[in-house]
Amino acid sequence: MNILVLVSGNGSNLQALIDAEKSGRCSEGGRESGGMRIAAVVSDKAGVFALQRANNAGIPAITETPDKSLPREERQRELSDRILRIAGKYNAGLIVLAGFLSILRGNIVKAYSGRIINLHPSLLPDFGGEGMYGDRVHRAVLASGKKESGCTVHLVDGGTDTGPVLLQRRVPVLPGDSAESLAARIHREEHIAIVDAVIRFPELSAL
Ligand code: GRF
């Protein structure tokens, strides 16, 4: 199955997927699905390191930035439509949002219903939704006094961080944690979770 990976920044989760594919894990685990292959990477920000990671791996790296002249919803739809065309061009069977900060709206959500997955750095439904990304999530977890956080891979359903959960990995919140230390602990789990979710996607999405 061809995968389109969407990114906005550093791309360490993309790297985890690239490494898993290189090591043969995607083709092994995905045998039932005919194997998984990253067909292309799309970033909504120019010049981010994730694009370089794709280039280094010989994967087509495409930049599609939002059109700032459009009002918010239209801007999200227009970018989503461009990504939908790219997904079609690369015959993507699965779209993976690996640290992608734009919100997908409109046609792509219908055309790829049940075939778009997002990675979020908290135990959804807690600490998700509009504006909950990056360190804001971890700061909110620390402020809440929760003893546990983690990451979630879920299906994208047109809301923000609302689709059915495919898998979660948990980490403790430790005394003295900063947003950075908690983020780092969660990041390590994300790298495992995203690879796991892609390899087991046929099984997980059928549950
Ligand atoms: C991850 O924490 C992911 O959950 C969030 O953005 C971060 C991306 O990290 N949505 P990276 O770009 O994959 O290193």
Side-chain angles (χ1 to χ4, degrees):
M1 190 197 299
N2 283 343
I3 307 172
L4 186 69
V5 182
L6 309 186
V7 294
S8 299
N10 177 34
S12 66
N13 286 288
L14 166 67
Q15 191 65 55
L17 288 167
I18 291 171
D19 293 347
E21 186 184 328
K22 272 207 201 118
S23 74
R25 274 196 69 200
C26 289
S27 45
E28 271 167 41
R31 199 168 278 148
E32 319 83 80
S33 61
M36 301 274 191
R37 167 182 164 264
I38 305 170
V41 171
V42 179
S43 171
D44 63 353
K45 281 202 184 72
V48 295
F49 190 53
L51 289 165
Q52 199 175 314
R53 293 182 193 267
N55 273 322
N56 292 345
I59 299 167
I62 303 156
T63 303
E64 293 288 344
T65 55
D67 179 346
K68 290 202 178 97
S69 70
L70 297 173
R72 192 165 166 275
E73 285 228 347
E74 214 180 313
R75 184 170 69 223
Q76 292 171 339
R77 271 173 221 282
E78 192 270 340
L79 176 63
S80 298
D81 284 351
R82 274 186 271 149
I83 294 171
L84 177 56
R85 282 196 290 279
I86 294 169
K89 179 177 165 199
Y90 286 95
N91 194 23
L94 175 65
I95 299 177
V96 178
L97 279 58
F100 184 65
L101 293 182
S102 293
I103 294 176
L104 295 179
R105 299 255 185 242
N107 299 326
I108 196 167
V109 179
K110 289 189 209 100
Y112 275 85
S113 171
R115 293 187 298 153
I116 308 176
I117 62 176
N118 182 42
L119 174 64
H120 185 81
S122 77
L123 296 173
L124 291 175
D126 291 346
F127 308 103
E130 294 266 337
M132 270 294 179
Y133 58 86
D135 278 354
R136 292 184 191 199
V137 178
H138 309 301
R139 282 199 294 269
V141 171
L142 293 174
S144 75
K146 295 244 181 201
K147 297 279 172 274
E148 205 179 36
S149 189
C151 62
T152 301
V153 180
H154 67 95
L155 290 174
V156 169
D157 68 352
T160 306
D161 301 327
T162 51
V165 170
L166 295 184
L167 64 85
Q168 294 186 311
R169 291 183 68 87
R170 316 177 93 83
V171 303
V173 176
L174 300 177
D177 254 342
S178 62
E180 291 70 31
S181 62
L182 180 57
R185 193 174 307 121
I186 292 175
H187 237 110
R188 287 194 288 275
E189 298 306 314
E190 286 189 302
H191 299 157
I192 299 169
I194 194 71
V195 170
D196 229 32
V198 165
I199 290 175
R200 295 173 53 208
F201 177 72
E203 163 209 336
L204 291 171
S205 59
L207 294 177

